[in-house]
Amino acid sequence: MNQSTLEQPGYRAAVVDLLGVLAYGELTAFIKMAVDSDLAPSLSLKSSMAQLANTEFVQYTELVDHMRSIGIDPDAAMLPFVAPFAAYHERTRPKGWLEGLVKAFVGDGIAKDFYREVSAFVDEDTRAVMASALDDAGEADFVVQVVRQALATDPTAAGRLALWGRRLMGEALSQAQAVAVDRDALSALLVGGGVDLGEVGRMFTRLTDNHQKRMGRLGLTA
Amino acid sequence: MNQSTLEQPGYRAAVVDLLGVLAYGELTAFIKMAVDSDLAPSLSLKSSMAQLANTEFVQYTELVDHMRSIGIDPDAAMLPFVAPFAAYHERTRPKGWLEGLVKAFVGDGIAKDFYREVSAFVDEDTRAVMASALDDAGEADFVVQVVRQALATDPTAAGRLALWGRRLMGEALSQAQAVAVDRDALSALLVGGGVDLGEVGRMFTRLTDNHQKRMGRLGLTA
């Protein structure tokens, strides 16, 4: 697929989907983080969470600008993903700022894993803009630190947050599967790139492994 | 007061309050606009509202950076205003994105009026950073356009939004009065700057007049 260009309609449709799902993911992540920051227990945490939200917005803007620069209508590209993201967020409403932070951390991790899986199958420009949009400039470290501090103060939170992490991963995979069924071009990008059913299985194993590692970084069992 | 410098404790306390109230106003405006954008009826409107929210955040960051550069702790400066803003927002929860936009427009307008009233009494640096933090780069025009379009589609909204605007102004004045009573240095800046009680009355008249003009721009009676 290295010779893929945006002139090929099937490949173009896949890139439109890829950028659309990433952009809408950033936009909703921005909104959810801003909403959760309102519940932060201190001004300094509220400010830091607002900063995280802002980073998501800047990355959203980068993706949208890139789409426009190559003639893609961002709203049309994002539209197919409004319903699955709404379903995901509806089923995973955080109770408080700490669950919100864990959710952002897990969601960002899944987005990065997804990027890593597809980056081998996309052209150089698309790969670069995706990498930039998913570079969190160490902000995930802030989440790790805050969650670990919170667990040190309230060890009973560990069980609740571990359960929360499992629920987030389950709902994310469930929506990802719905998207895969619905978006032919996106699925074809992976399958056409030489991914057989066995490889899809291994991909899910990798996603689950990475999720467990991330939960471990937070001090939680997955 | 032109010779006022931050070395004078009373003047410094007033500037700490000024920058604190503006910064916390921007931070909460950011959060509220992001929350309201989640209810936007289209992707393009959601994106535009997220952009408005982001502008508030950038302005918040400018104020916080400026405070740090002159040795003011931003969190300490904002803390006295957490309660009045919480009370204001608690009493003025928008029902939907349109009320949210009108609220942002009215709130921004009041903040700008407040800036204009005090700008004669502050030093040049403070005046510059306040002006920059309150420059919306024409984004208020977007709100005017969207509200007018909404009124054209649903003329019955005009009565409801006019009432909403009056409530916003009433609650804002009520919280402003509570802040004035509570924050001596801030009040002294105005009174010490040669403002007598008659002038305070005229100031309220100007605030109300400007509010009516802004509501008129939206196509609403105040």
Side-chain angles (χ1 to χ4, degrees), chain A residues 32 38 44 47 54 60 75, chain B residues 32 38 44 47 54 60 75:
Chain A
K32 299 302 172 186
D38 208 14
S44 111
S47 186
N54 184 63
Y60 161 74
D75 288 357
Chain B
K32 299 302 172 189
D38 208 15
S44 111
S47 186
N54 183 63
Y60 161 73
D75 287 357

Side-chain angles (χ1 to χ4, degrees), chain A residues 22-38:
Chain A
L22 282 182
Y24 195 66
E26 296 281 9
L27 182 59
T28 55
F30 158 73
I31 292 171
K32 299 302 172 186
M33 181 57 83
V35 170
D36 293 340
S37 76
D38 208 14

Side-chain angles (χ1 to χ4, degrees), chain B residues 43-122:
Chain B
L43 266 178
S44 111
L45 201 56
K46 185 185 285 236
S47 186
S48 298
M49 289 174 74
Q51 176 64 60
L52 284 180
N54 183 63
T55 301
E56 312 275 13
F57 182 79
V58 171
Q59 292 171 332
Y60 161 73
T61 307
E62 276 178 28
L63 287 166
V64 163
D65 288 348
H66 175 73
M67 280 192 261
R68 291 215 177 91
S69 78
I70 56 173
I72 296 174
D73 173 1
D75 287 357
M78 292 190 286
L79 201 57
F81 306 104
V82 170
F85 273 104
Y88 171 72
H89 287 296
E90 181 61 39
R91 285 161 203 228
T92 57
R93 288 184 184 268
K95 286 192 205 71
W97 61 275
L98 191 56
E99 286 192 7
L101 275 183
V102 171
K103 180 175 166 178
F105 181 76
V106 167
D108 255 30
I110 294 170
K112 283 201 190 71
D113 282 347
F114 174 64
Y115 158 67
R116 256 179 240 112
E117 294 293 341
V118 298
S119 64
F121 308 121
V122 297

